[in-house]
Amino acid sequence: MLTAQTELSTDELYTKARTAAFDEDNYGKAIALLKQALAKSPDYLEVSVFLGRLYTFSDSLPKARMVFEEILQKEPGHEDASLAYANLEYWNSDSRKSLSIVNTGLEKHPKSEKLGLLKAKVLKDLKRFDESRGVIDQLLKVNPKFTEARSLLGSVNSSAAKNSFGLSYDFIYFDKRFDDPWHMASINYGRQTKLGSVAARFNYANRFTTNGAQFEVDAYPRISDLFYAYVSGGISENKGIFPRYRAGFSLYANLPAAFEADAGFRFLAFSGSTWIYTVGVGKYYKSYWFNLRTYLTPSPNAISHSYSFTTRYYLGGADDYLSFKIGTGISPDDNANSVSFDPENIYKLKSINMALGYRKLLWDTNVFSFQASLENQEYAPETRGNQLSLSIGYSKRF
């Protein structure tokens, strides 16, 4: 009699599971409660969908897939299950499978805004931009106030642009090391090709009250769904202002669970040559991106090294974020300091640096950026100074 009175119903177990998951942040407890609920009511699909979502959130992806497959066998095209399952595959870089799940869901629920919006996102990820725009246009015809769809439309239009033109300017101030500030300006043109993006850039700098110029070409060729590369080269006649020659290569791998790793080298030629090796690992988590990187520079007596940690908080699409970076040492990819790799600079820079940045997409195809950085350098034995850098940039896609 006492057991019957205290035994919880399916709905009560479901409510307690939601409390455990959302209020207590205890997925294990919530999953156990949902299993009890399903033991009582195995066809309670709303409970099954929530179980699949919790498996997804706790990275138990095979279990989540099994749950969603069982729901869709019982009710093909179930809206919430289709949405949750398609999101799982989309988040884990299988957009083709995600699209198949979404399409089946839309066959049963053609007016579903959530499924329609996800389909547009998946088509954008597959670079089927015209189809993505068509889905969004239909969503906005039905609901002109669908702000998420309108925001996505701007992102699709931006991604569909094959050309870009950009300008940037850097101002570098030294409190002790140099009497005069440095100035740097760049103009670049980029193009999306079938093999990946390619960009040409002309750099101008005024350092040590002397002018210099450099020409660079960067490319990001796609090798497969798993790998892509970074290939770069540059040339300058002003070896004291820019490297006489520079080259770079990195191989990137898109890994499971939204991880990314890369390894490569940089080559700089001034009066002598310097080889630098780099390794990095990145991770996307919700609205954040984290990256840890090191540069290693061998010399006859030792290996100098620098480290940096970068994080971004995405406010919207890929071009809407705040960034923060902190690190030690210098980077060969930083044009403001790459001249420090000149072997004629006998004392190797020791530094601690940090930077704050903001990037914003406006009117679908215009990108504005701003960054402020502060670097405390030991530029000679027992002698330190500060370097303040301000950077602004603008690019137009068309």
Side-chain angles (χ1 to χ4, degrees):
M1 178 77 69
L2 182 62
T3 301
Q5 288 177 343
T6 58
E7 187 174 347
L8 299 177
S9 69
T10 302
D11 285 330
E12 288 171 330
L13 288 166
Y14 181 36
T15 300
K16 283 184 171 292
R18 293 181 66 85
T19 300
F22 298 134
D23 296 342
E24 302 172 17
D25 199 25
N26 189 336
Y27 289 168
K29 178 180 177 181
I31 288 171
L33 289 166
L34 291 174
K35 287 182 176 179
Q36 292 180 46
L38 287 171
K40 291 175 172 290
S41 307
D43 293 327
Y44 199 152
L45 298 187
E46 184 179 353
V47 175
S48 295
V49 171
F50 190 44
L51 176 62
R53 284 184 168 138
L54 290 185
Y55 278 139
T56 302
F57 298 153
S58 56
D59 290 330
S60 300
L61 302 186
K63 292 181 180 179
R65 290 186 176 99
M66 186 180 300
V67 170
F68 292 138
E69 290 285 357
E70 288 176 357
I71 297 169
L72 294 176
Q73 285 179 0
K74 292 178 180 178
E75 186 180 317
H78 186 282
E79 184 176 7
D80 287 343
S82 297
L83 183 67
Y85 194 6
N87 266 317
L88 181 157
E89 301 301 351
Y90 173 63
W91 293 332
N92 288 277
S93 303
D94 193 346
S95 288
R96 295 187 184 280
K97 185 174 181 180
S98 178
L99 181 61
S100 175
I101 297 166
V102 167
N103 282 337
T104 302
L106 283 170
E107 288 176 5
K108 298 292 184 179
H109 307 277
K111 296 182 179 180
S112 171
E113 287 189 341
K114 291 181 179 179
L115 286 173
L117 185 67
L118 179 56
K119 179 175 181 177
K121 290 179 181 178
V122 172
L123 288 168
K124 173 180 176 287
D125 189 59
L126 293 170
K127 302 189 185 304
R128 292 160 61 174
F129 301 117
D130 290 339
E131 293 177 66
S132 181
R133 275 192 290 256
V135 173
I136 297 170
D137 287 341
Q138 186 59 39
L139 289 170
L140 291 173
K141 284 180 182 177
V142 176
N143 180 8
K145 296 181 180 180
F146 195 178
T147 55
E148 287 184 83
R150 196 169 297 282
S151 175
L152 179 61
L153 180 61
S155 178
V156 171
N157 288 336
S158 177
S159 299
K162 292 186 177 181
N163 302 280
S164 66
F165 172 79
L167 299 167
S168 66
Y169 170 72
D170 294 60
F171 174 83
I172 302 111
Y173 167 79
F174 302 89
D175 65 346
K176 294 180 181 178
R177 190 179 180 196
F178 302 113
D179 294 331
D180 298 298
W182 290 356
H183 304 271
M184 294 184 59
S186 297
I187 182 171
N188 66 80
Y189 168 75
R191 170 81 178 177
Q192 293 288 341
T193 72
K194 292 182 178 180
L195 298 178
S197 65
V198 180
R201 181 168 51 254
F202 177 78
N203 301 317
Y204 160 84
N206 180 278
R207 290 181 169 123
F208 321 112
T209 66
T210 302
N211 298 327
Q214 180 190 52
F215 179 75
E216 295 180 291
V217 175
D218 296 337
Y220 289 87
R222 291 189 297 272
I223 300 171
S224 67
D225 290 339
L226 178 61
F227 294 106
Y228 71 97
Y230 161 74
V231 183
S232 179
I235 186 170
S236 172
E237 292 183 353
N238 310 87
K239 67 179 183 180
I241 309 301
F242 289 104
R244 180 72 178 89
Y245 301 103
R246 68 167 298 274
F249 174 83
S250 286
L251 180 64
Y252 288 80
N254 295 307
L255 303 176
F259 276 95
E260 181 180 74
D262 69 274
F265 69 85
R266 307 292 185 263
F267 170 78
L268 303 175
F270 292 91
S271 54
S273 300
T274 303
W275 290 85
I276 306 104
Y277 301 92
T278 182
V279 176
V281 60
K283 164 71 175 177
Y284 286 95
Y285 176 73
K286 295 184 178 179
S287 296
Y288 293 90
W289 175 73
F290 303 100
N291 181 267
L292 183 64
R293 178 168 300 283
T294 183
Y295 291 99
L296 306 173
T297 308
S299 65
N301 300 320
I303 297 178
S304 64
H305 43 82
S306 65
Y307 301 94
S308 66
F309 174 75
T310 304
T311 183
R312 294 175 184 170
Y313 176 69
Y314 286 91
L315 305 167
D319 288 303
D320 288 285
Y321 60 79
L322 295 167
S323 65
F324 173 73
K325 179 180 179 182
I326 188 168
T328 63
I330 56 176
S331 163
D333 293 326
D334 178 8
N335 255 341
N337 281 321
S338 62
V339 69
S340 300
F341 283 94
D342 187 343
E344 291 182 1
N345 293 320
I346 298 173
Y347 190 76
K348 294 296 183 182
L349 281 176
K350 298 178 181 179
S351 75
I352 300 173
N353 52 77
M354 62 184 298
L356 290 171
Y358 177 60
R359 189 176 176 94
K360 178 65 177 176
L361 174 69
L362 292 174
W363 309 297
D364 296 346
T365 58
N366 298 272
V367 181
F368 296 86
S369 62
F370 173 80
Q371 179 172 286
S373 62
L374 178 64
E375 189 160 8
N376 181 261
Q377 300 176 337
E378 184 181 14
Y379 57 89
E382 305 302 324
T383 305
R384 304 189 73 90
N386 295 312
Q387 173 182 322
L388 174 66
S389 303
L390 300 174
S391 305
I392 57 172
Y394 166 77
S395 65
K396 170 70 176 179
R397 294 171 180 161
F398 57 97

